[in-house]
Amino acid sequence: MAADEETEIVLAVAKDPGGLAVLTRPMEILAQDPQVKVVWVAEGLAMKLLTDAGKTIYGGLPQGDNINSQTLVRYDIDPVWLLDEALLGKARLRAVVASMGAPNNLEGGVVREAVRRGVSTVIVSDIHGSALRADLSVEEPNLDKVLVTALDSEDARLVREHFNGPKAPFILVTGSPAFDKFANGAPIEVPPVVRNLIQSSRCVVFILGQDDCTTDFLGGTLDLLDSLGGSCLAIVGLHPKFLKVPELCNLWLDRVKKAKVPVLWATNAATTHQYMAASNIVISGYSTGLLEGPLLNHGPLAIAWSSPRVIANMEGAMGGLKVFPAVTYGAAHQVSSPEELLPHVQRVLELSEHGFRDQARAIIRDRLRVDGKAAERVAAVIRRHAGF
């Protein structure tokens, strides 16, 4: 990590695509300053995405026993050693910036060690409540060295209510850099191969998979669509990490095989956003896709499935939330059974849902500050908090 004495080091830590989506552009903005050097530390899919983009990762790619083959958690970088390397070099470590993936490993470890040492630390939220995954103690004496960039007031509330003692992190609502790409409202082109496969269907439902709670909304949605005959089509996109779990993979594949409704598997023939743009409805448990979908030009209705398992998983992943934020805003519907889903599918078939879609888009743009400038705000916040 060698650099001259005038260089300001910013240590950026990421694990997954969601984390990179909120960190990459702010880091690029900071790196435009010749006196700032951004050093990436990564594990998980972030390692591959960064190296594919030509960026250097501190420590390189782990080898052999230094990585978990399923979770891509790396064991060759210890946060204490990492901070020693950074702090004992000639360059000045001015800030640690991290997203917080799940399961959390290196991101949280580096953040906790940085805060313990009194290093200015910025946690950039990529989903509501994700900042709490850092597992910082409410009794940590250096909490005033921590700043959280929140997606919206709901995200800020979760952090504020968790740290309700005499010391707490600073919280600023910046919106999400990952949503900047939706600001201009440009239409997303659906690949011809997908468009041709769905063109005869009057209601296309994109089932956006997550963790084990996918079992609930995958089965419930297919149960309803199976009962409606040939006017509907399901696009099924399952989370690649959980497809590696044999019992879940087999369970989900077995249910899809039994479906009577036509099913289109979401493959790399299109991106997730292109499948959303091709759909009338996107349904999931607590996926960020339920916030993204309504922002797409002619985007789908967002529907959050709220079975007990979904709610329990959401509470664990999103700082205790029991209701998905888009539902709280009035920008998504909440259902917990095929019977509750039915009227929303019927409105699509009757072409009577356009008013709600327009309303949802406007609400999310306002609540999440979707103006194309979130990355600039986050970069400015980092500079100000770090004092350079």
Side-chain angles (χ1 to χ4, degrees):
M1 213 176 277
D4 62 55
E5 295 182 3
E6 300 302 316
T7 303
E8 312 278 12
I9 292 287
V10 175
L11 205 60
V13 194
K15 178 179 183 288
D16 57 24
L20 283 184
V22 297
L23 292 184
T24 300
R25 184 59 190 146
M27 294 303 104
E28 290 173 347
I29 293 171
L30 291 176
Q32 291 171 3
D33 184 337
Q35 296 304 312
V36 174
K37 180 178 177 60
V38 174
V39 177
W40 283 99
V41 180
E43 59 184 0
L45 285 177
M47 289 187 294
K48 181 181 187 309
L49 294 171
L50 285 168
T51 53
D52 287 351
K55 299 185 185 297
T56 301
I57 302 173
Y58 186 70
L61 296 176
Q63 302 295 321
D65 294 338
N66 285 322
I67 188 167
N68 181 303
S69 61
Q70 180 168 333
T71 63
L72 301 183
V73 164
R74 63 189 304 167
Y75 306 122
D76 60 333
I77 293 181
D78 174 70
V80 175
W81 169 80
L82 178 68
L83 271 293
D84 281 343
E85 287 281 297
L87 291 171
L88 294 177
K90 292 182 179 179
R92 292 188 295 177
L93 176 61
R94 295 305 297 265
V96 167
V97 183
S99 55
M100 286 292 145
N104 192 283
N105 180 50
L106 196 54
E107 295 158 310
V110 173
V111 162
R112 289 188 295 275
E113 181 62 17
V115 175
R116 186 184 72 80
R117 295 174 184 236
V119 176
S120 296
T121 302
V122 178
I123 301 173
V124 182
S125 287
D126 72 315
I127 190 170
H128 293 79
S130 63
L132 301 182
R133 296 172 184 166
D135 200 24
L136 290 168
S137 170
V138 295
E139 298 178 355
E140 166 59 57
N142 291 330
L143 281 177
D144 57 348
K145 290 291 186 179
V146 181
L147 186 144
V148 174
T149 70
L151 302 180
D152 62 2
S153 58
E154 183 76 349
D155 191 20
R157 178 188 66 79
L158 290 169
V159 179
R160 186 172 56 251
E161 290 182 357
H162 179 78
F163 294 100
N164 58 1
K167 282 201 170 185
F170 296 102
I171 308 167
L172 288 177
V173 176
T174 59
S176 171
F179 283 70
D180 282 350
K181 60 181 172 286
F182 300 118
N184 63 8
I188 291 180
E189 292 295 325
V190 178
V193 64
V194 175
R195 191 167 56 244
N196 292 339
L197 288 169
I198 68 172
Q199 62 183 352
S200 62
S201 301
R202 293 171 55 209
C203 180
V204 178
V205 180
F206 183 23
I207 303 171
L208 185 54
Q210 292 189 267
D211 49 32
D212 64 333
C213 71
T214 301
T215 304
D216 297 354
F217 58 83
L218 174 67
T221 303
L222 291 178
D223 286 349
L224 173 64
L225 298 182
D226 283 348
S227 71
L228 294 178
S231 56
C232 301
L233 178 143
I235 301 176
V236 176
L238 300 176
H239 198 298
K241 180 169 74 174
F242 293 96
L243 280 174
K244 294 180 181 179
V245 181
E247 56 270 28
L248 291 177
C249 179
N250 292 335
L251 181 66
W252 297 339
L253 294 180
D254 183 61
R255 178 60 190 91
V256 172
K257 285 178 185 177
K258 295 176 180 176
K260 299 174 185 176
V261 66
V263 172
L264 173 63
W265 286 105
T267 67
N268 58 8
T271 67
T272 297
H273 293 140
Q274 287 172 325
Y275 283 119
M276 283 187 194
S279 304
N280 304 104
I281 291 173
V282 58
I283 187 162
S284 193
Y286 54 97
S287 169
T288 307
L290 296 175
L291 294 169
E292 295 173 333
L295 291 171
L296 306 182
N297 194 33
H298 305 299
L301 290 177
I303 298 183
W305 196 276
S306 63
S307 66
R309 177 159 44 179
V310 169
I311 294 171
N313 290 5
M314 179 167 60
E315 283 186 277
M318 299 180 69
L321 277 181
K322 296 178 185 293
V323 178
F324 190 74
V327 175
T328 303
Y329 306 156
H333 298 295
Q334 179 171 286
V335 304
S336 58
S337 68
E339 293 74 22
E340 292 179 2
L341 177 59
L342 175 59
H344 304 296
V345 173
Q346 287 176 328
R347 277 195 286 273
V348 169
L349 294 172
E350 295 164 1
L351 304 177
S352 61
E353 87 294 347
H354 297 291
F356 183 85
R357 293 199 307 185
D358 293 342
Q359 169 188 307
R361 184 181 303 114
I363 289 172
I364 292 178
R365 289 180 71 91
D366 177 60
R367 292 295 295 260
L368 294 181
R369 300 186 70 180
V370 184
D371 57 5
K373 298 178 181 179
E376 295 175 18
R377 288 191 288 270
V378 170
V381 161
I382 293 168
R383 292 188 69 95
R384 195 160 60 242
H385 187 61
F388 62 84

